Amino acid sequence: RALEFEERLIVQTGQSAASAIEEINLSVERIFYYAAQADKYDGQVHQTPVRNVTLSLPESIGVMGILCPNEAPLLSFISLVIPAITMGNAVVVVPSEKHPLSATDFYQVLDTSDVPSGVINIITGNRDSLAKTLAEHDNVDAVWYRGSAEGCKLVEAASIGNLKQTWTHSKAQDWFDREQGEGAEYLRKATQIKTIWVPYGA
């Protein structure tokens, strides 16, 4: 369905065909990258001063709210959603407020794949209004927000009451740059660490 996604990106954003094709190709590559990480991003064993071995194990956070930026509407959506579900989370995601149709088209791909229903839930609408709702919701365990500085402050303030984990950015990211758009930091932010102390010896 590459041609369909290419046409959608061009109509929505006005970008060139070459840029749209690059965004689609990078989206596919990013999905494969995180699929490969699903069984490789694991914990660590630490030696402590006392007679213990300490195991640090990454676990899923639970339900995550993800609010996407307007730039690179397909690629940014993929870059934020896929690492979160790779680590076992369910997501409620608000795609690009200006260009949401690439994400809703992608949902059709998910619907015919092996992704279980309820893992990715897409809601379109005003990003900051939905950010406040997600940040205040007691059944949402973490919020990732990409948008305005005011929106970042709103998310941080609204999450105080329920001690929700947040990851916010107001500066524009280059989603085409792998150093900014993918990597272990995304997987780390999608997990929480469980520490197990194992005593040994006399």
Side-chain angles (χ1 to χ4, degrees), residues 104-122:
T104 55
D105 288 344
F106 184 72
Y107 192 81
Q108 297 172 15
V109 175
L110 296 172
D111 201 36
T112 55
S113 72
D114 293 330
V115 178
S117 60
V119 171
I120 299 176
N121 307 279
I122 299 174

Side-chain angles (χ1 to χ4, degrees), residues 2 17 21 30 32 44-47 56 60 69 76 80 82 95 102 107 110-112 131 149 153 155 165 179-180 189:
I21 291 169
R30 208 147 282 177
F32 274 95
Q44 295 181 336
V45 178
H46 304 283
Q47 182 179 0
S56 298
S60 61
S76 63
L80 292 167
I82 300 303
S102 293
Y107 192 81
L110 296 172
D111 201 36
T112 55
K153 291 178 182 177
V155 168
Q165 295 187 38
E179 289 188 9
Q180 296 183 47
K189 294 286 188 179

Side-chain angles (χ1 to χ4, degrees), residues 55-77:
L55 309 178
S56 298
L57 307 177
E59 292 187 336
S60 61
I61 295 172
V63 177
M64 297 176 59
I66 297 177
L67 300 109
C68 300
N70 287 319
E71 62 267 19
L74 177 63
L75 183 58
S76 63
F77 175 89

Side-chain angles (χ1 to χ4, degrees), residues 6 9-10 13-22:
E6 178 189 344
L9 286 169
I10 292 170
T13 66
Q15 67 192 99
S16 67
S19 176
I21 291 169
E22 183 184 7

Side-chain angles (χ1 to χ4, degrees), residues 3-187:
L3 181 59
E4 177 185 338
F5 279 94
E6 178 189 344
E7 291 173 351
R8 179 74 82 186
L9 286 169
I10 292 170
V11 170
Q12 282 187 115
T13 66
Q15 67 192 99
S16 67
S19 176
I21 291 169
E22 183 184 7
E23 183 168 347
I24 292 162
N25 290 339
L26 274 175
S27 296
V28 173
E29 289 177 20
R30 208 147 282 177
I31 291 170
F32 274 95
Y33 168 80
Y34 286 114
Q37 294 298 314
D39 62 350
K40 296 176 181 66
Y41 185 79
D42 55 8
Q44 295 181 336
V45 178
H46 304 283
Q47 182 179 0
T48 55
V50 294
R51 291 181 177 271
N52 285 285
V53 172
T54 306
L55 309 178
S56 298
L57 307 177
E59 292 187 336
S60 61
I61 295 172
V63 177
M64 297 176 59
I66 297 177
L67 300 109
C68 300
N70 287 319
E71 62 267 19
L74 177 63
L75 183 58
S76 63
F77 175 89
I78 294 293
S79 299
L80 292 167
V81 168
I82 300 303
I85 68 168
T86 296
M87 294 292 96
N89 300 287
V91 299
V92 179
V93 56
V94 179
S96 164
E97 185 177 342
K98 290 184 178 179
H99 315 296
L101 297 181
S102 293
T104 55
D105 288 344
F106 184 72
Y107 192 81
Q108 297 172 15
V109 175
L110 296 172
D111 201 36
T112 55
S113 72
D114 293 330
V115 178
S117 60
V119 171
I120 299 176
N121 307 279
I122 299 174
I123 303 173
T124 59
N126 180 270
R127 178 177 52 212
D128 288 358
S129 176
L130 292 168
K132 185 174 187 296
T133 300
L134 289 169
E136 291 177 342
H137 202 296
D138 288 341
N139 291 326
V140 175
D141 304 297
V143 171
W144 290 0
Y145 176 93
R146 299 297 188 275
S148 66
E150 294 77 14
C152 290
K153 291 178 182 177
L154 181 150
V155 168
E156 298 291 349
S159 67
I160 292 172
N162 50 33
L163 301 178
K164 188 185 284 21
Q165 295 187 38
T166 60
W167 189 27
T168 61
H169 278 279
S170 60
K171 294 181 180 178
Q173 290 180 250
D174 181 0
W175 296 101
F176 292 84
D177 180 5
R178 285 185 171 85
E179 289 188 9
Q180 296 183 47
E182 72 176 37
E185 183 179 19
Y186 289 83
L187 299 172

